[in-house]
């Protein structure tokens, strides 16, 4: 079974992809289930730059896509940036028609700098610490299904930085998500960026596995038709090499493990 739980369409401010084209590509490349995960970054710094999409229009568009493409399962997902800081607003917007899947992710440091886009500043130790501490706060809040792209800032670097000084925070994040049954996203957008590694990196995925982590979702983080499916096979090979044998599918009852 082929699944992608992270993709954006024109409902996200940083994508112009048409839902139809994304779905048609997913069907043509053999997916049985996909989730659109549009950005709902509802902290003031992000709203000011990117605005807020209409959740109502997004929900209606998903319903229309399900009618148009019954041959594939289409989930209504959201990627909630800094969710722990804006859950009241996000939940109020989504309350009448809850999403099928929620990714929690961190895009912005405490100082307001966005670290999920090509970096325009040198990443210093303080930024790295701030980033993982925000992720820890996010998973402590925890009312979401998937922890998205942990270590996203690394994808724009040519070499993985020495982040051993935050290892204790990464371990705490992993132990909490394992306990709360929040899946760890394997985001393969990093493979086509300067770092050329998965996000989280191989090193952190190995740590997650050693700590007993089993729930993994696969996400292209595609913002265009071209990047959908681009490194899917490569990602599965890398996971097998790391010793993972399954990835995860979300159901109404919880997680189901799918053999790689
Ligand atoms: Zn993101
Ligand atoms: Zn995304």
């Amino acid at each position: 079974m082929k699944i992608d739980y992270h993709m954006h369409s024109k409902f996200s401010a940083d994508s112009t992809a048409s839902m139809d084209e994304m779905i048609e590509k997913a069907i043509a490349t053999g997916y049985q289930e996909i989730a659109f995960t549009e950005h709902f970054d509802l902290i003031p710094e992000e709203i000011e730059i990117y605005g807020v999409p209409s959740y109502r229009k997004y929900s209606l568009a998903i319903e229309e896509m399900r009618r148009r493409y019954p041959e594939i399962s289409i989930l209504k997902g959201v990627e909630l940036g800094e969710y722990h800081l804006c859950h009241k607003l996000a939940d109020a917007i989504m309350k009448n028609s809850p999403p099928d899947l929620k990714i929690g992710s961190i895009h912005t440091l405490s100082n307001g700098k966005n670290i999920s886009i090509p970096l325009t500043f040198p990443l210093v130790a303080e930024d790295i610490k701030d980033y993982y501490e925000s992720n820890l706060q996010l998973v402590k809040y925890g009312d979401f299904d998937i922890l998205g792209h942990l270590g996203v800032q690394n994808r724009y670097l040519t070499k993985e930085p020495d982040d051993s000084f935050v290892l204790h925070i990464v371990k705490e994040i992993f132990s909490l998500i394992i306990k709360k049954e929040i899946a760890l996203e394997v985001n393969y957008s990093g493979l086509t960026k300067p770092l050329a590694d998965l996000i989280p990196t191989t090193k952190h995925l190995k740590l997650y596995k050693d700590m007993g982590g089993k729930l993994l979702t696969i996400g292209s983080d595609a913002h265009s038709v071209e990047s959908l499916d681009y490194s899917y096979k490569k990602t599965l090979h890398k996971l097998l090499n790391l010793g993972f044998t399954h990835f995860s599918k979300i159901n109404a009852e919880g997680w189901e493990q799918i053999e790689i």
Side-chain angles (χ1 to χ4, degrees):
M1 190 169 197
K2 210 171 166 184
I3 296 177
D4 188 329
Y5 278 167
H6 193 150
M7 62 179 72
H8 298 270
S9 78
K10 61 176 191 226
F11 281 96
S12 293
D14 56 358
S15 168
T16 53
S18 97
M19 280 186 157
D20 288 275
E21 283 175 15
M22 294 295 255
I23 296 166
E24 282 161 19
K25 167 95 182 258
I27 294 169
T29 49
Y31 288 83
Q32 283 89 33
E33 182 161 278
I34 56 167
F36 285 98
T37 49
E38 309 297 354
H39 286 297
F40 285 85
D41 287 13
L42 302 178
I43 57 167
E45 294 91 329
E46 294 278 304
I47 292 177
E48 215 209 337
I49 299 170
Y50 300 104
V52 183
S54 161
Y55 184 73
R56 191 173 166 274
K57 281 188 190 158
Y58 172 47
S59 298
L60 291 170
I62 289 283
E63 283 170 28
E64 173 58 27
M65 292 302 131
R66 285 175 180 155
R67 276 191 290 274
R68 225 175 265 179
Y69 303 97
E71 63 270 55
I72 184 167
S73 160
I74 302 168
L75 304 187
K76 180 173 74 174
V78 286
E79 181 180 4
L80 299 156
E82 290 69 42
Y83 188 35
H84 60 303
L85 300 179
C86 57
H87 56 92
K88 277 191 185 152
L89 178 57
D91 294 352
I93 290 172
M94 300 185 299
K95 75 171 185 301
N96 293 326
S97 171
D100 303 309
L101 177 153
K102 293 197 273 189
I103 296 180
S105 59
I106 297 296
H107 294 132
T108 308
L109 301 177
S110 306
N111 59 17
K113 287 180 187 168
N114 189 323
I115 39 80
S116 67
I117 53 179
L119 303 173
T120 54
F121 53 92
L123 199 67
V124 296
E126 203 183 316
D127 295 334
I128 296 173
K129 188 159 176 277
D130 182 279
Y131 171 77
Y132 285 102
E133 274 174 353
S134 292
N135 273 276
L136 180 58
Q137 294 310 313
L138 176 70
V139 299
K140 277 185 180 167
Y141 172 64
D143 181 23
F144 56 92
D145 307 298
I146 299 167
L147 178 61
H149 56 55
L150 184 70
V152 67
Q153 72 282 359
N154 291 329
R155 66 185 174 181
Y156 302 110
L157 307 172
T158 45
K159 195 170 152 278
E160 190 173 3
D162 174 16
D163 52 13
S164 50
F165 61 98
V166 291
L167 185 65
H168 62 292
I169 310 178
V170 176
K171 280 185 178 167
E172 205 178 336
I173 292 170
F174 286 162
S175 92
L176 267 174
I177 62 172
I178 291 168
K179 195 170 136 209
K180 295 185 176 202
E181 298 194 349
I182 293 171
L184 181 67
E185 173 182 81
V186 180
N187 183 306
Y188 65 69
S189 67
L191 291 173
T192 49
K193 304 255 176 347
L195 186 69
D197 198 350
L198 295 168
I199 304 294
T201 56
T202 306
K203 180 181 79 183
H204 283 167
L205 285 170
K206 196 173 176 308
L207 173 66
Y208 176 68
K209 183 165 188 304
D210 291 345
M211 289 178 67
K214 289 190 170 63
L215 299 178
L216 286 178
T217 60
I218 296 170
S220 59
D221 208 348
H223 287 66
S224 67
V225 174
E226 295 71 41
S227 37
L228 178 59
D229 193 48
Y230 196 80
S231 307
Y232 185 85
K233 264 195 194 154
K234 209 173 176 179
T235 301
L236 292 187
H237 278 130
K238 282 180 177 287
L239 289 178
L240 283 170
N241 284 339
L242 281 164
F244 290 103
T245 52
H246 293 77
F247 65 90
S248 311
K249 175 188 184 316
I250 200 162
N251 292 324
E253 315 77 52
W255 293 107
E256 179 188 340
Q257 293 294 85
I258 307 287
E259 203 173 331
I260 295 177

